[in-house]
Each structure stands twice: as structure tokens, then as C-alpha cells.
Amino acid sequence: MDVGCRRHSVAIGLSSGEVLEEFDIDHRPEGFADFFNRIERQHRCFPGAVPTVAMEGYNGHARPLDTLICERGWRLLNVNNLKLARFKQMFPAAAKSDRIDARRTLDLMLLGEHMPQARRALQEVHAPTSENAQLKRLTRRRSAGWSL
């Protein structure tokens, strides 16, 4: 997934490299619902492993979608932007677009099983414990100048 501030480009594929579906979602609850529905529909057609989502994003635009993915028990990978850029230099595409970036992220996930440099570009994101999540919320409030 290529994460933007208002829209996200998504590519769904199989471990064989076959791309099943490409689409965009809005950064709104309705877009998130569409995202989960499409992945669950594909997962029913191709059962097996837990769905894995790789997100390339910055400046916190992945929130709250990243939290919702972790709450479902799905595997979440953060894509290092600089390493993805190097990967795209090695395997160039016709043009730069969010849709192409989503497809390249899917390619990177597939190659991660075979190439150490691709694997290093993906960092697994683990759901925080409830205590850590609460501390994070309290710290954000305090840094925003709110009082408790």
C-alpha cells in the first residue's frame, strides 16, 4: 500500500507474484471498510496464511489504518521509504505514480523472501501492549499542551 494524506493506493497479490486487484481508498472509515472487505474477499478465495499488509507512508498518515490492521491480527510491515526508492531504481517502472508504488511494494514483499536487501527494507510492526498504547496517548496529549 502506498499511503497518502487523503488517498491510499493498494495492490493485492499472491506469493506467486500474481496481482489480484489494484484500487484506491479514501482515508476515511468508508475507505478503510472497503479495504478490509476486499482483502477478506480475496482471502476467502485464496485461504492460507494470515494476510500481510506492507505500508509505505510517512508523517503519520498511516494512522489509524495501521492500528486497525494490527487489531485484526494481520501481519503489518513498514516499508522504508529510502530503501524502496533504491529498489525502484534497480527495477524501474514507466513512470512515478502511487499505483506503481503500491505495485513495487508488492514486488518488494515477494522478493523479501529471497533477497536480503529487499528483506531489510521491510520492518514488521507489532501491536503495542495496552499499557504502551495508553502511555502513548497520554504523552501525545501532554506534548500537545493538554492538561490531564
Side-chain angles (χ1 to χ4, degrees), residues 99-116:
R99 190 165 281 226
I100 289 172
D101 284 354
R103 172 84 61 109
R104 287 290 174 233
T105 299
L106 183 59
D107 294 339
L108 186 66
M109 285 176 59
L110 297 173
L111 286 174
E113 298 175 16
H114 310 289
M115 294 176 55

Side-chain angles (χ1 to χ4, degrees), residues 61-98:
H61 294 301
R63 280 186 228 120
L65 187 54
D66 56 352
T67 304
L68 296 171
I69 290 167
C70 287
E71 286 174 356
R72 289 185 184 283
W74 295 358
R75 187 169 180 231
L76 177 61
L77 303 173
N78 179 50
V79 180
N80 182 301
N81 292 339
L82 296 175
K83 291 180 181 178
L84 179 62
R86 288 191 189 124
F87 176 76
K88 290 189 294 188
Q89 286 175 342
M90 293 183 336
F91 301 97
K96 199 284 189 217
S97 73
D98 292 341

